[in-house]
Amino acid sequence: SNNFFLLSGPCAIEGEDMAMRIAEHIVKLTDKLSIPYVFKGSFKKANRSRVDSFTGIGDEKALKILRKVSETFNVPTVTDIHEVSDADKAAEYVDVLQIPAFLVRQTDLVVAAAKTGKTVNLKKGQFMSPESMKHAVTKVKDSGNSQVVITDRGTMFGYQDMVVDFRGIPTMKEFAPVVLDVTHSLQQPNQSSGVTGGRPALIETMARAGIATGVDGLFMETHFDPANAKSDGANMLSLDCLEQLLVNLTILRGTINELQ
Amino acid sequence: SNNFFLLSGPCAIEGEDMAMRIAEHIVKLTDKLSIPYVFKGSFKKANRSRVDSFTGIGDEKALKILRKVSETFNVPTVTDIHEVSDADKAAEYVDVLQIPAFLVRQTDLVVAAAKTGKTVNLKKGQFMSPESMKHAVTKVKDSGNSQVVITDRGTMFGYQDMVVDFRGIPTMKEFAPVVLDVTHSLQQPNQSSGVTGGRPALIETMARAGIATGVDGLFMETHFDPANAKSDGANMLSLDCLEQLLVNLTILRGTINELQ
Amino acid sequence: SNNFFLLSGPCAIEGEDMAMRIAEHIVKLTDKLSIPYVFKGSFKKANRSRVDSFTGIGDEKALKILRKVSETFNVPTVTDIHEVSDADKAAEYVDVLQIPAFLVRQTDLVVAAAKTGKTVNLKKGQFMSPESMKHAVTKVKDSGNSQVVITDRGTMFGYQDMVVDFRGIPTMKEFAPVVLDVTHSLQQPNQSSGVTGGRPALIETMARAGIATGVDGLFMETHFDPANAKSDGANMLSLDCLEQLLVNLTILRGTINELQ
Amino acid sequence: SNNFFLLSGPCAIEGEDMAMRIAEHIVKLTDKLSIPYVFKGSFKKANRSRVDSFTGIGDEKALKILRKVSETFNVPTVTDIHEVSDADKAAEYVDVLQIPAFLVRQTDLVVAAAKTGKTVNLKKGQFMSPESMKHAVTKVKDSGNSQVVITDRGTMFGYQDMVVDFRGIPTMKEFAPVVLDVTHSLQQPNQSSGVTGGRPALIETMARAGIATGVDGLFMETHFDPANAKSDGANMLSLDCLEQLLVNLTILRGTINELQ
């Protein structure tokens, strides 16, 4: 397929039922549209603004659900890790280890992920330039692992806003395949409530700009009922809206592929 | 035509020959591709970083060249104004009066432009949010002129860089048609030399993102020989490269027009 | 006096009574504290966000009030100009011509101010680096006028906030004496209402940091009743609070002067 | 003492000799000036831009040197931790556990530090607002530990620069005592070399602004020979310059303490 690939699923694994339902729904759509698909779900949320935010259902329990999704639907899976000790543990269950944006400068963590031999998805820090992601990619490759992907989730713009700098897409493609994280790049952090806000109506705008500027993949968190999700509800895409969006983006990608 | 429109020409009118040659070249391309075209040229450069920068060949002389381009090729023209007294003077010669980004908060200037009855092209200040352009548009409309366009030329990002925030395109389309100024949004201001730098290799990246996110028009400065242009050489597009770029963007626009 | 100097007064000249009352009040304080004082008042407000904002009581009327303040209290005065034609007009009445931050890149305006022979106060653009103010200063000096001052009024930080970068104070002191504009550096622009907000409780914090980092002067807008001022009420200092503030800053300046 | 307190020492513990020499030097100065002093040294550098950067001499070895410094000179010590498992280990040797700026959103790490009962020094993330540090402080307090300090090390300003927003000092003092990290707030990150640059000539400028705006403490990395230090050499202060700086800041603090 010359189509973009998709990392999608719920922000956090809240339970087996919701994970399986979401996976089933997206697998059907992506099969139809020839979109290579990776199921995404966090087994633990470690960087909440507030200590009373939801942090997960238990590590092993969540990781086993990720494995079940993978085996049931024959799709690879991705989850994020936060400590060195998470790397081997998660690598038993998933295909792609994701380094969160806040942690991409932690050398031990990046190297631990790289040494599992799994694909490493490095999120660009909100405080990093596209150019500086070269150093993070080099850490993975110097650890003997050439399976590395960069995901852009936006850059700090003042205290309470983020912006995606699309000039960075071609820059980062020189280092590794590039994914645009549509969900988190629309966040508006540091809100006074301690709960991150966002502007989900812009999801298609951002995704179209990403495809037009040559991203290899898209990352979108989805939920049957974003308003009642236990984390990141403000920016997740309702599954109802996913089909039309993926149809549009697939058409756009086809055109982009044909341009000289 | 459902194609995007194009504001293009040299940064400054350096003389009649160069203006006519550039216009002729672009008119041919835009006719072939059904791109509504407006010839752009500054009759005066008023906001150079350094006093020894090129500022123009004489106001009347430059404005007469703009009129000659318009009459010869049957295209509208646009030029930028910097003082209230420029408004009526320029309105005698051109079809669109452009308010520079640094000056878009000067009420007297915006109102003077509006009162000429010509179309007013308001450049978004590098220091303004997309939302705040509503107030500038309102000033034009409250002066009895509904012919108003907004052009985004990027937003300050630290001292020496600019970023285009594509979330702002749909926001500003609620107020007026929106143009993306590809040339100036790639500037890197405040360089220690006092001459603004840039990254012209990214012209097509930015233009594609603009079309994908729904801009109505594009603004691109062009020159036969950007390296020897008297201003803004760092970001102007060589005319040699324009055809392939416009072909690609026309195809992309066609696809965007068809999406649901 | 080795004390800092003070530019202060109302944002706009709203009438003779208020101007005289404010001047009298500040002259008494600054005489007592040996603070060289320049009365500040805008004769016209030209860059309001909204067309329905207050823009002034009439140019000549306001300028004559500035002259009367100067003659009555034997203090110099400063006002801001917005068009080339303002330069000579204002120079008849005041001692210092101020170039607004949005306009400091307009070469014609800066040169026109310089050529009057009056002191020129260049406000650093919100979009400019401290280093780049060197070019603006050079334009004044190259016009044969060595009486030039730079005023820092903060730098854009995201869309709706400004920050003062105190690293810039020593940088700009290499070019000219430096003033910190405490009032405007606390603005929070681009608010959705179209009226700029701010955080006046921080006035003393900012002023102390300015004195500690070596500014030569301070700029503070003041009003008997900021809540009812016709512009910039959100950030003006109530005259009631001015005395204790100036006492503290004078003590602080004395200490700074003695450090090695 | 009503003086500010000082966290100072080398960026990384490079060996016992250098640590003891630096501590001895600073203890003498701070005793003379009545500055409460905490010896600072990292036992491990975990977030280097490049994998070939210096990361330490061995964890236990470095921690034992910190203990020896503490016992020899009777001063408390501070070191930074990067993983949950570091918390108990470091708490055996030092008095203050510091959470690095990149990691201050990692709830597990902050809670682990808090639960040791040691003082927790939370560095404000370069991507966080002053207001949002309230949530990090709350995580420490909700873990039963009221000994918490906030250190400001600047905020991202574009890709390659940082700025200290002094408005944030009074804001954060509402949550906990506030330290200004003069060394790291002068960094210029994301340089193309992968090695962070900086502007050490501004150390005194920033420190003065900090004292003037009411910080409770200062953080300054120091070295006998910054040019040959194994990390952060670009911003460390030469020990030769420390005495005059501390004398000046002590005088300044005395004045600030007396203001009304």
Side-chain angles (χ1 to χ4, degrees):
Chain A
S1 167
N2 281 323
N3 210 347
F4 62 91
F5 58 88
L6 179 69
L7 283 66
S8 188
C11 177
I13 300 293
E14 300 171 14
E16 184 174 318
D17 278 0
M18 62 85 78
M20 296 295 280
R21 274 178 71 201
I22 292 174
E24 183 178 19
H25 186 102
I26 302 177
V27 165
K28 262 188 214 159
L29 295 179
T30 52
D31 277 356
K32 192 161 64 175
L33 294 165
S34 299
I35 296 172
Y37 173 51
V38 184
F39 179 82
K40 184 269 165 183
S42 293
F43 72 93
K44 172 167 74 171
K45 302 306 297 180
N47 60 348
R48 307 287 85 189
S49 296
R50 294 162 47 147
V51 79
D52 59 356
S53 298
F54 173 77
T55 58
I57 59 170
D59 294 0
E60 295 289 324
K61 192 170 166 192
L63 286 166
K64 279 180 182 160
I65 292 169
L66 282 161
R67 180 190 276 163
K68 182 161 181 187
V69 166
S70 178
E71 290 173 351
T72 307
F73 299 106
N74 195 27
V75 293
T77 56
V78 54
T79 201
D80 43 335
I81 63 173
H82 299 82
E83 295 235 333
V84 167
S85 59
D86 289 343
D88 284 338
K89 182 166 67 177
E92 285 181 48
Y93 296 93
V94 302
D95 304 280
V96 183
L97 297 179
Q98 179 169 295
I99 307 295
F102 288 148
L103 299 180
V104 72
R105 286 286 300 277
Q106 306 305 310
T107 303
D108 289 354
L109 183 65
V110 171
V111 169
K115 288 197 170 159
T116 65
K118 299 288 180 175
T119 297
V120 180
N121 181 19
L122 298 166
K123 286 203 150 180
K124 187 185 84 62
Q126 302 92 327
F127 44 82
M128 286 177 71
S129 66
E131 288 76 11
S132 63
M133 283 303 293
K134 183 179 184 177
H135 305 296
V137 169
T138 300
K139 290 175 189 175
V140 177
K141 292 187 176 167
D142 286 355
S143 304
N145 186 341
S146 63
Q147 300 298 312
V148 54
V149 174
I150 298 170
T151 295
D152 192 343
R153 47 93 77 239
T155 301
M156 290 308 299
F157 184 63
Y159 287 128
Q160 295 178 323
D161 205 4
M162 308 198 69
V163 67
V164 175
D165 179 359
F166 286 95
R167 297 173 305 175
I169 307 298
T171 301
M172 292 189 290
K173 283 181 75 172
E174 294 174 23
F175 314 140
V178 173
V179 175
L180 177 64
D181 174 349
V182 177
T183 303
H184 294 96
S185 63
L186 289 170
Q187 282 183 338
Q188 297 186 299
N190 291 323
Q191 300 297 313
S192 54
S193 63
V195 176
T196 299
R199 299 174 63 189
L202 293 167
I203 287 172
E204 184 150 358
T205 296
M206 296 306 278
R208 287 185 185 191
I211 295 296
T213 55
V215 299
D216 301 282
L218 292 173
F219 177 112
M220 276 186 281
E221 289 179 355
T222 45
H223 201 278
F224 274 100
D225 184 6
N228 289 311
K230 292 192 178 166
S231 63
D232 268 5
N235 291 292
M236 281 196 280
L237 183 68
S238 169
L239 278 171
D240 291 344
C241 306
L242 188 60
E243 181 162 11
Q244 186 58 56
L245 174 60
L246 293 179
V247 166
N248 281 351
L249 296 174
T250 296
I251 294 169
L252 186 57
R253 170 72 172 213
T255 296
I256 292 291
N257 284 344
E258 286 162 19
L259 299 182
Q260 291 197 318
Chain B
S1 166
N2 282 323
N3 210 346
F4 62 91
F5 59 87
L6 178 69
L7 282 66
S8 188
C11 177
I13 301 293
E14 300 172 14
E16 183 174 319
D17 279 359
M18 63 85 78
M20 296 294 281
R21 275 178 72 202
I22 293 174
E24 184 178 18
H25 186 101
I26 302 177
V27 165
K28 262 188 214 159
L29 295 179
T30 51
D31 278 356
K32 193 161 63 176
L33 295 165
S34 299
I35 296 172
Y37 172 52
V38 183
F39 180 82
K40 184 269 165 184
S42 293
F43 72 93
K44 172 167 71 171
K45 302 306 296 180
N47 59 349
R48 307 286 85 190
S49 296
R50 296 163 45 148
V51 79
D52 60 357
S53 297
F54 173 78
T55 59
I57 59 169
D59 294 0
E60 296 288 325
K61 193 172 165 191
L63 287 166
K64 281 180 180 158
I65 293 170
L66 283 161
R67 180 191 276 163
K68 183 163 179 185
V69 166
S70 178
E71 290 172 351
T72 307
F73 299 105
N74 196 27
V75 292
T77 56
V78 55
T79 201
D80 43 335
I81 63 172
H82 299 83
E83 295 235 333
V84 166
S85 59
D86 289 343
D88 283 338
K89 182 165 67 176
E92 284 181 47
Y93 296 93
V94 303
D95 305 280
V96 183
L97 297 180
Q98 179 169 295
I99 307 297
F102 287 147
L103 300 180
V104 73
R105 286 286 300 277
Q106 305 306 309
T107 303
D108 287 355
L109 184 64
V110 171
V111 169
K115 289 195 169 157
T116 65
K118 299 288 179 174
T119 297
V120 179
N121 181 18
L122 298 166
K123 287 203 149 180
K124 186 185 85 62
Q126 303 89 330
F127 43 83
M128 285 176 73
S129 65
E131 288 76 10
S132 62
M133 285 302 293
K134 182 178 185 178
H135 304 296
V137 169
T138 300
K139 290 176 188 175
V140 178
K141 292 187 175 168
D142 285 355
S143 303
N145 186 340
S146 64
Q147 300 297 312
V148 55
V149 173
I150 298 170
T151 296
D152 191 343
R153 48 91 78 242
T155 302
M156 290 306 299
F157 185 63
Y159 286 127
Q160 295 177 323
D161 206 4
M162 307 198 70
V163 67
V164 175
D165 179 359
F166 286 94
R167 297 173 303 174
I169 306 298
T171 301
M172 292 189 290
K173 284 181 75 172
E174 294 174 22
F175 314 140
V178 173
V179 174
L180 177 64
D181 175 349
V182 178
T183 303
H184 295 96
S185 63
L186 289 170
Q187 281 184 337
Q188 297 185 299
N190 291 324
Q191 300 297 313
S192 54
S193 63
V195 177
T196 299
R199 299 175 62 188
L202 292 168
I203 287 172
E204 184 151 359
T205 297
M206 296 306 279
R208 288 186 184 189
I211 297 296
T213 54
V215 299
D216 301 282
L218 292 173
F219 178 111
M220 276 187 280
E221 289 181 353
T222 47
H223 202 277
F224 274 99
D225 185 5
N228 289 311
K230 293 192 177 166
S231 63
D232 269 4
N235 291 292
M236 279 197 282
L237 183 68
S238 170
L239 278 171
D240 292 344
C241 306
L242 187 59
E243 181 163 10
Q244 185 60 55
L245 174 60
L246 292 180
V247 167
N248 282 350
L249 296 174
T250 296
I251 293 169
L252 186 57
R253 171 71 171 216
T255 296
I256 293 291
N257 285 344
E258 286 162 19
L259 298 183
Q260 292 197 318
Chain C
S1 166
N2 281 322
N3 210 348
F4 62 90
F5 58 88
L6 178 68
L7 283 66
S8 188
C11 178
I13 301 292
E14 300 172 14
E16 184 176 316
D17 279 358
M18 63 84 78
M20 296 294 281
R21 273 178 74 201
I22 292 174
E24 185 178 17
H25 186 101
I26 302 178
V27 165
K28 263 188 215 158
L29 296 178
T30 52
D31 277 356
K32 193 161 63 175
L33 295 165
S34 298
I35 297 172
Y37 172 52
V38 184
F39 180 83
K40 184 270 164 181
S42 293
F43 72 93
K44 172 168 73 171
K45 302 305 298 179
N47 59 348
R48 309 285 84 190
S49 296
R50 294 162 47 149
V51 80
D52 59 359
S53 298
F54 172 77
T55 59
I57 59 169
D59 295 359
E60 296 289 325
K61 192 172 168 191
L63 287 166
K64 281 179 181 158
I65 293 169
L66 282 160
R67 180 190 276 164
K68 182 162 180 186
V69 166
S70 178
E71 291 172 351
T72 306
F73 299 105
N74 195 27
V75 293
T77 56
V78 54
T79 201
D80 44 333
I81 63 172
H82 300 83
E83 294 235 333
V84 166
S85 59
D86 290 342
D88 284 337
K89 183 166 65 177
E92 285 181 48
Y93 297 93
V94 302
D95 306 280
V96 183
L97 297 179
Q98 179 170 294
I99 308 296
F102 288 148
L103 299 180
V104 72
R105 287 286 301 277
Q106 305 305 311
T107 303
D108 289 355
L109 183 64
V110 171
V111 169
K115 289 195 170 160
T116 64
K118 300 288 181 178
T119 297
V120 180
N121 181 19
L122 298 166
K123 288 203 147 181
K124 188 186 83 63
Q126 302 89 330
F127 43 83
M128 285 176 72
S129 65
E131 288 77 10
S132 63
M133 284 304 291
K134 184 180 185 177
H135 305 297
V137 169
T138 299
K139 290 176 189 175
V140 177
K141 293 187 175 167
D142 285 356
S143 303
N145 186 340
S146 63
Q147 299 298 312
V148 55
V149 173
I150 299 170
T151 295
D152 191 343
R153 47 92 78 242
T155 301
M156 291 306 300
F157 184 63
Y159 286 128
Q160 295 176 323
D161 205 3
M162 308 199 68
V163 68
V164 175
D165 178 359
F166 286 93
R167 298 174 304 175
I169 306 297
T171 300
M172 292 188 292
K173 282 182 75 173
E174 295 174 22
F175 315 142
V178 173
V179 175
L180 178 64
D181 175 350
V182 178
T183 304
H184 295 96
S185 63
L186 289 170
Q187 282 184 337
Q188 297 187 298
N190 291 323
Q191 301 297 313
S192 55
S193 63
V195 177
T196 299
R199 298 174 64 190
L202 292 168
I203 286 173
E204 184 151 358
T205 297
M206 296 307 277
R208 288 186 183 190
I211 296 297
T213 55
V215 299
D216 301 282
L218 292 174
F219 177 112
M220 276 187 280
E221 289 181 354
T222 46
H223 203 277
F224 275 99
D225 185 5
N228 288 310
K230 293 192 176 163
S231 62
D232 269 5
N235 291 292
M236 280 196 280
L237 182 69
S238 170
L239 278 172
D240 291 343
C241 306
L242 188 59
E243 182 164 11
Q244 185 60 55
L245 175 60
L246 293 179
V247 168
N248 283 349
L249 297 174
T250 295
I251 294 169
L252 187 57
R253 171 68 172 216
T255 296
I256 292 291
N257 285 344
E258 287 162 19
L259 298 183
Q260 293 199 316
Chain D
S1 168
N2 281 323
N3 211 346
F4 62 90
F5 58 88
L6 179 68
L7 283 66
S8 187
C11 177
I13 301 292
E14 300 172 13
E16 184 175 317
D17 279 359
M18 62 85 78
M20 296 294 280
R21 274 179 73 200
I22 292 173
E24 184 177 18
H25 186 102
I26 303 178
V27 165
K28 262 187 216 160
L29 295 178
T30 51
D31 277 357
K32 193 161 64 175
L33 295 165
S34 299
I35 296 172
Y37 172 51
V38 183
F39 179 82
K40 184 269 165 182
S42 293
F43 72 93
K44 173 167 73 171
K45 303 305 298 179
N47 59 349
R48 307 287 84 190
S49 295
R50 295 162 46 147
V51 79
D52 60 358
S53 297
F54 172 78
T55 58
I57 60 170
D59 294 0
E60 296 288 326
K61 193 172 165 190
L63 287 166
K64 281 179 180 160
I65 292 169
L66 282 160
R67 179 191 277 164
K68 182 162 180 187
V69 166
S70 178
E71 291 172 351
T72 305
F73 300 104
N74 195 27
V75 291
T77 55
V78 55
T79 201
D80 43 332
I81 63 172
H82 300 83
E83 295 234 332
V84 166
S85 60
D86 289 343
D88 285 337
K89 183 166 65 175
E92 285 181 47
Y93 297 92
V94 303
D95 305 281
V96 183
L97 297 179
Q98 179 169 293
I99 307 296
F102 288 147
L103 299 180
V104 72
R105 288 286 301 276
Q106 306 305 310
T107 303
D108 289 354
L109 183 64
V110 171
V111 169
K115 289 196 170 159
T116 64
K118 300 286 179 178
T119 297
V120 180
N121 181 19
L122 298 167
K123 287 204 147 180
K124 187 186 84 62
Q126 303 90 328
F127 42 83
M128 285 175 72
S129 66
E131 288 77 10
S132 64
M133 284 303 293
K134 184 180 184 176
H135 305 297
V137 168
T138 300
K139 289 176 188 174
V140 177
K141 292 186 175 168
D142 286 354
S143 303
N145 186 341
S146 63
Q147 299 298 313
V148 55
V149 173
I150 298 171
T151 296
D152 191 342
R153 48 93 77 240
T155 302
M156 290 307 299
F157 184 63
Y159 287 128
Q160 294 177 324
D161 206 3
M162 308 199 69
V163 68
V164 175
D165 179 359
F166 286 93
R167 298 174 302 175
I169 306 298
T171 301
M172 292 188 291
K173 282 181 75 174
E174 294 174 21
F175 315 141
V178 172
V179 175
L180 177 64
D181 175 350
V182 178
T183 303
H184 295 96
S185 64
L186 289 169
Q187 282 185 336
Q188 297 187 298
N190 291 324
Q191 301 297 313
S192 55
S193 63
V195 177
T196 299
R199 299 175 64 189
L202 292 168
I203 288 172
E204 185 151 358
T205 297
M206 297 306 278
R208 288 185 184 190
I211 296 297
T213 54
V215 299
D216 301 282
L218 292 173
F219 178 112
M220 277 187 279
E221 289 180 354
T222 46
H223 202 277
F224 275 99
D225 185 7
N228 289 310
K230 293 192 177 164
S231 63
D232 268 5
N235 291 293
M236 279 196 280
L237 182 69
S238 170
L239 278 172
D240 291 343
C241 306
L242 188 59
E243 182 164 10
Q244 186 60 56
L245 175 60
L246 293 180
V247 167
N248 282 349
L249 297 174
T250 296
I251 294 168
L252 187 57
R253 171 68 171 216
T255 297
I256 292 291
N257 284 344
E258 286 163 18
L259 299 182
Q260 293 200 315

